Amino acid sequence: MNYTLHQLQIFFKVAETKSITKAAEELFLTQPAVSIQLKNFQEQFPIPLTEVVGRKLFITDFGQEIVKAAEKILNEVHAINYRTMAFAGELTGRLKISVVSTAKYVIPYFLADFMTENIGVDLIMDVTNKSRVIESLEANEVDFAMVSVLPKQIKTESVGLMQNKLFFVGGVQHEKLNKPIQKEQFEELPLIYREQGSATRNAMETFIKGNSFSVRKKIELTSNEAVKQAIIAGLGYSLMPLIGIKNELRTGELQIIPMAGLPLITTWNLVWLPAKKLSPAALAFLEHVTATKETIIQQKFKWFEEY
């Protein structure tokens, strides 16, 4: 057999994503390149590694055994790289973070300088909804999570980063108002929700329930970007975090509709498990965030004060 580390990496990523297209995206390769390498890798084994059923890709039982072996080999390769850099006096290791979807507008600013200064650190970041973020934290799959509402079901340590403000938002189809809309006006509007498990969805439902509002029409979408585009198109209205609509507010594609009780204000928190043995890379990142967060907020998020 004469397979390469590159082929092992591609097969492992295909198995992880269960998709050649997604694997190509995550590896920054073209889909044909991944397909060719996967085919070349398969040709070195007499037993199928994958199978396609109903246009879906599955890993065979034999393929799963190769996945386990590939993971061990790739981890050893990473370890060799880290040891080499460590001997050269560089900070090394993997930094694993899971963040709620709206945090993708925040966390890069707290990572940028740290990653630039520590080229030996590899960043693995999962952007998903709050339910999955908490699952990753509980399962000890990540070093840190970033959420706007601290989880109640598990004990965590945390460092507060910055405010998260949620406003009621509409498109240009709605007349501009200088005074808050009333209950009867709100109840006439079609509402757009995030999916179940989203912190924004929970905040919106709590706000509606707390004010005894009736919902006339409900649309459910699975990302803040999808909600934003739907509002711009005139499909409805939603409660949205300010952090994700800065450009659209300035271009006039979206507007904040004044309502009593808004904005809802929470705090973005970097959280971790108290019993977690943080790696040197994770500890260094925590120290970096704690030392620089005020400067980052002043330099990158000064515009928040306008709202």
Side-chain angles (χ1 to χ4, degrees):
M1 291 186 181
N2 194 32
Y3 47 79
T4 66
L5 283 173
H6 185 53
Q7 289 172 342
L8 279 175
Q9 183 184 32
I10 287 175
F11 176 64
F12 182 75
K13 185 58 68 174
V14 168
E16 186 178 51
T17 61
K18 295 181 175 59
S19 166
I20 290 175
T21 301
K22 290 181 180 178
E25 290 174 355
E26 294 191 17
L27 292 170
F28 302 102
L29 297 171
T30 64
Q31 187 173 331
V34 170
S35 296
I36 290 170
Q37 290 301 321
L38 186 62
K39 179 177 179 293
N40 292 341
F41 187 61
Q42 172 64 79
E43 288 177 349
Q44 299 181 71
F45 299 93
I47 304 171
L49 300 172
T50 64
E51 57 186 354
V52 178
V53 180
R55 299 182 68 179
K56 291 184 178 180
L57 187 146
F58 295 88
I59 307 300
T60 64
D61 289 344
F62 175 68
Q64 293 291 355
E65 293 300 315
I66 302 302
V67 169
K68 294 177 184 176
E71 183 175 21
K72 290 179 182 178
I73 293 169
L74 292 171
N75 283 339
E76 285 300 318
V77 171
H78 285 303
I80 290 171
N81 292 338
Y82 296 147
R83 290 187 190 109
T84 301
M85 291 179 179
F87 268 94
E90 296 180 13
L91 181 66
T92 64
R94 291 183 179 180
L95 178 63
K96 296 182 179 181
I97 305 176
S98 183
V99 305
V100 294
S101 57
T102 49
K104 66 176 177 284
Y105 301 109
V106 178
I107 191 63
Y109 294 98
F110 291 89
L111 282 162
D113 287 345
F114 177 78
M115 296 302 297
T116 300
E117 294 166 4
N118 299 285
I119 60 173
V121 175
D122 292 334
L123 172 65
I124 301 171
M125 186 167 73
D126 182 32
V127 181
T128 183
N129 65 32
K130 186 182 177 182
S131 294
R132 176 58 192 145
V133 168
I134 300 306
E135 287 174 9
S136 298
L137 195 62
E138 285 185 294
N140 197 32
E141 296 172 355
V142 295
D143 299 307
F144 301 106
M146 189 171 178
V147 294
S148 58
V149 178
L150 292 173
K152 296 180 180 179
Q153 62 270 45
I154 55 174
K155 290 183 178 180
T156 59
E157 298 285 344
S158 66
V159 55
L161 299 184
M162 58 178 283
Q163 282 189 339
N164 178 38
K165 299 179 181 179
L166 290 95
F167 290 89
F168 190 57
V169 177
V172 295
Q173 298 83 2
H174 196 286
E175 62 177 322
K176 289 191 178 293
L177 299 173
N178 294 318
K179 61 180 180 179
I181 61 172
Q182 301 303 307
K183 179 179 179 180
E184 55 272 16
Q185 292 173 288
F186 178 87
E187 292 178 339
E188 285 298 311
L189 301 175
L191 301 182
I192 303 174
Y193 285 68
R194 281 288 307 278
E195 79 283 4
Q196 289 286 353
S198 161
T200 303
R201 166 72 170 256
N202 293 340
M204 188 166 175
E205 289 181 333
T206 300
F207 177 72
I208 289 172
K209 184 178 180 181
N211 287 278
S212 300
F213 291 140
S214 297
V215 176
R216 182 172 73 87
K217 184 179 179 181
K218 183 169 71 176
I219 301 170
E220 184 174 304
L221 300 174
T222 57
S223 75
N224 278 304
E225 286 300 316
V227 171
K228 183 164 62 177
Q229 294 305 318
I231 297 172
I232 291 172
L235 275 175
Y237 304 77
S238 191
L239 200 67
M240 293 204 72
L242 178 63
I243 192 68
I245 58 175
K246 171 187 175 183
N247 292 334
E248 290 75 15
L249 288 174
R250 291 187 171 175
T251 60
E253 294 176 283
L254 293 178
Q255 62 169 311
I256 291 172
I257 300 173
M259 282 195 71
L262 294 179
L264 299 178
I265 299 177
T266 57
T267 301
W268 289 114
N269 293 280
L270 192 70
V271 304
W272 64 96
L273 297 176
K276 176 72 176 178
K277 294 182 179 179
L278 295 174
S279 67
L283 283 171
F285 176 63
L286 183 59
E287 291 173 3
H288 169 80
V289 167
T290 303
T292 63
K293 64 175 184 174
E294 296 301 332
T295 300
I296 293 170
I297 291 169
Q298 286 298 312
Q299 290 180 348
K300 305 299 182 181
F301 299 101
K302 187 73 174 176
W303 63 272
F304 244 55
E305 298 175 6
E306 299 174 20
Y307 299 92

